[in-house]
Amino acid sequence: MESKFTGGLLGLIGISILQTLIIIFTLAIGTPWAVCLKYRWVTEHTIIDGKKLTFDGTGGQLFGSYIKWFLLTIITIGIYGLWVPLKIKGWVTKHTHVA
């Protein structure tokens, strides 16, 4: 079986610009939605062993976790922030499926 990524440079640039605009114009409150937008694009263009991936996460689902992680980072004077990328990766993986 073949594994490949089918996304193109223009698509990546477009998604990255849109993601940046969402974050800027919402003063970072829209970050969970921007993150989901990017991961959805990546998974829709990924084929593993001949099977497409899908991503079913939403910004609304991720928003609560973002608030929790933000508060924990403040409470621990930034230390919890070291774990946030791992938490995001775990959340993304939980919402990524083989079609």
Side-chain angles (χ1 to χ4, degrees):
M1 290 287 176
E2 184 180 8
S3 296
K4 62 182 176 179
F5 181 73
T6 61
L9 179 60
L10 288 179
L12 178 61
I13 291 170
I15 286 294
S16 296
I17 290 171
L18 183 57
Q19 184 181 32
T20 302
L21 291 174
I22 290 170
I23 293 168
I24 290 170
F25 286 117
T26 63
L27 302 175
I29 293 171
T31 298
W33 287 269
V35 167
C36 288
L37 181 72
K38 179 83 167 263
Y39 280 112
R40 183 167 290 107
W41 183 83
V42 169
T43 56
E44 286 177 357
H45 290 89
T46 302
I47 299 171
I48 304 292
D49 289 334
K51 298 176 183 171
K52 289 194 79 155
L53 296 182
T54 61
F55 178 74
D56 66 2
T58 66
Q61 294 168 332
L62 186 55
F63 186 75
S65 295
Y66 256 65
I67 296 297
K68 179 178 70 175
W69 300 334
F70 177 72
L71 292 174
L72 286 169
T73 301
I74 290 172
I75 291 168
T76 62
I77 313 167
I79 296 171
Y80 190 80
L82 297 171
W83 279 268
V84 172
L86 297 173
K87 295 292 187 179
I88 293 171
K89 186 64 175 172
W91 186 86
V92 167
T93 303
K94 177 180 174 184
H95 291 279
T96 302
H97 311 284
V98 177

